[in-house]
Amino acid sequence: MPETPLPSGDALMALIGAAHRVEAQLESALNAIGLSMAKFGVLEAMMRASEPLTLTELAGKLSCVRSNITQLIDRLEADGLVQRVADPSDRRIIRAVLTPLGTERATQGAAAFAQARGELADRLPEGERASLLTALSRLV
Amino acid sequence: MPETPLPSGDALMALIGAAHRVEAQLESALNAIGLSMAKFGVLEAMMRASEPLTLTELAGKLSCVRSNITQLIDRLEADGLVQRVADPSDRRIIRAVLTPLGTERATQGAAAFAQARGELADRLPEGERASLLTALSRLV
DNA sequence: ATGAAAGGTCCAGCCGTAGAACTATCCAGC
DNA sequence: GCTGGATAGTTCTACGGCTGGACCTTTCAT
């Protein structure tokens, strides 16, 4: 992320820089309990779902290719947080389910994430939060 | 305490999402001339410097670890954009210099980047640009 | 002369992308 | 009923970007 100094673009560069710092904070909150953003993203999607998701569904929710999910689930399974389960109704399908340890970590992760996010958001006065949102909405 | 996500955190998530989309736009402008953000960052730092930078200096300017620079310079050297040059005054030191092709690409990259950035920044009315900056400055 | 500090590289690991080939399975239509 | 196309998941190759620690050489102060 190069910082090029042109007046009109400064706001954009500041936006990117701020977003990176915010992400770094959130990431480090998760690191403290042994999760990366990517892993937490998977666990969170699984917790939010009403039933065990197939790997293709996970790829869809995380907007990434399936082979990426294969590898992520490999790692989460090695960590003991997730388990692959065959679907009896369609033998092509594999569903990912949280282990008890996975559920625990996902819950801790969600709490740590929400707290870090809250602390950061609290630095923004109410009014600025709104104007920030309207400004961002223009950038699509 | 699994609190339901406060609306206050939404602004942060929107911030991160917007920054990612902006970065994707800038990145694709650079891709058109064969550069990635990371590579352009290196070339730009080199152009801005008054004399050839050592690899450690580059790592400092780009805020990354030295081994990352080693690999980045490996790729840029393979692309023919950069060359490693020994420093006669200190045989530990290696300086990176732009080749003529590297200078050309860096210039093209800077133009493409500035244009893409300008187009995006133009979507923000003057006033919102300012309020965006003040909001972002609070997040540090 | 020696040992700490600094410069750069190497290696292992994480995370992500794309595309292609491959197996197994399912299902619709003939 | 069989068959052929679609779907699910894995595997492989190859790439690009990042981190951290181990490692070697060189420099420099003591």
Side-chain angles (χ1 to χ4, degrees):
Chain A
M1 24 13 263
E3 346 121 330
T4 347
L6 253 145
S8 71
D10 278 356
L12 282 189
M13 295 300 109
L15 169 66
I16 292 175
H20 282 173
R21 287 189 295 272
V22 166
E23 280 188 282
Q25 295 260 316
L26 297 175
E27 179 109 43
S28 89
L30 291 175
N31 289 164
I33 52 177
L35 292 176
S36 65
M37 276 283 203
K39 286 180 177 176
F40 176 60
V42 172
L43 299 185
E44 203 210 12
M46 291 174 68
M47 288 210 81
R48 249 207 318 262
S50 51
E51 59 169 2
L53 297 170
T54 70
L55 303 196
T56 293
E57 284 166 349
L58 271 172
K61 290 193 186 285
L62 303 188
S63 303
C64 66
V65 298
R66 283 176 312 163
S67 60
N68 192 11
I69 294 296
T70 295
Q71 296 170 7
L72 259 175
I73 297 292
D74 282 349
R75 276 175 254 140
L76 286 168
E77 212 168 14
D79 292 344
L81 307 184
V82 151
Q83 214 175 345
R84 282 177 166 90
V85 171
D87 183 320
S89 77
D90 183 339
R91 301 217 303 280
R92 291 172 301 180
I93 289 177
I94 292 188
R95 294 188 183 274
V97 295
L98 288 166
T99 63
L101 181 60
T103 304
E104 187 191 321
R105 290 288 167 76
T107 306
Q108 292 172 349
F113 189 86
Q115 207 214 322
R117 195 186 49 183
E119 284 171 9
L120 285 165
D122 284 351
R123 299 190 195 167
L124 289 178
E126 194 87 23
E128 293 189 10
R129 224 175 282 162
S131 65
L132 174 61
L133 278 170
T134 63
L136 293 178
S137 69
R138 302 219 195 268
L139 294 171
V140 176
Chain B
M1 295 287 107
E3 285 282 90
T4 25
L6 312 145
S8 67
D10 285 352
L12 280 190
M13 296 300 111
L15 170 68
I16 291 176
H20 282 173
R21 287 188 298 271
V22 167
E23 279 188 283
Q25 296 261 316
L26 297 175
E27 179 110 41
S28 89
L30 290 174
N31 289 164
I33 52 175
L35 292 176
S36 63
M37 277 282 203
K39 286 181 177 177
F40 176 60
V42 172
L43 299 185
E44 202 211 13
M46 291 173 69
M47 289 210 80
R48 251 208 314 263
S50 51
E51 61 168 1
L53 297 169
T54 70
L55 302 196
T56 293
E57 284 166 349
L58 271 172
K61 291 195 185 283
L62 302 187
S63 304
C64 67
V65 296
R66 284 175 311 164
S67 60
N68 192 17
I69 295 296
T70 294
Q71 302 173 75
L72 225 28
I73 297 292
D74 282 349
R75 275 176 254 137
L76 286 168
E77 213 169 14
D79 291 345
L81 307 184
V82 151
Q83 214 176 345
R84 282 178 167 91
V85 171
D87 184 320
S89 76
D90 184 339
R91 300 217 304 278
R92 290 173 301 180
I93 289 178
I94 293 188
R95 294 187 184 274
V97 294
L98 287 167
T99 63
L101 181 59
T103 304
E104 187 191 320
R105 290 290 166 74
T107 306
Q108 292 172 350
F113 189 85
Q115 207 213 322
R117 196 187 50 185
E119 283 170 10
L120 284 165
D122 285 350
R123 299 190 195 169
L124 288 178
E126 194 87 21
E128 292 189 9
R129 220 176 287 163
S131 65
L132 175 61
L133 277 170
T134 63
L136 294 178
S137 68
R138 305 216 193 270
L139 293 173
V140 176

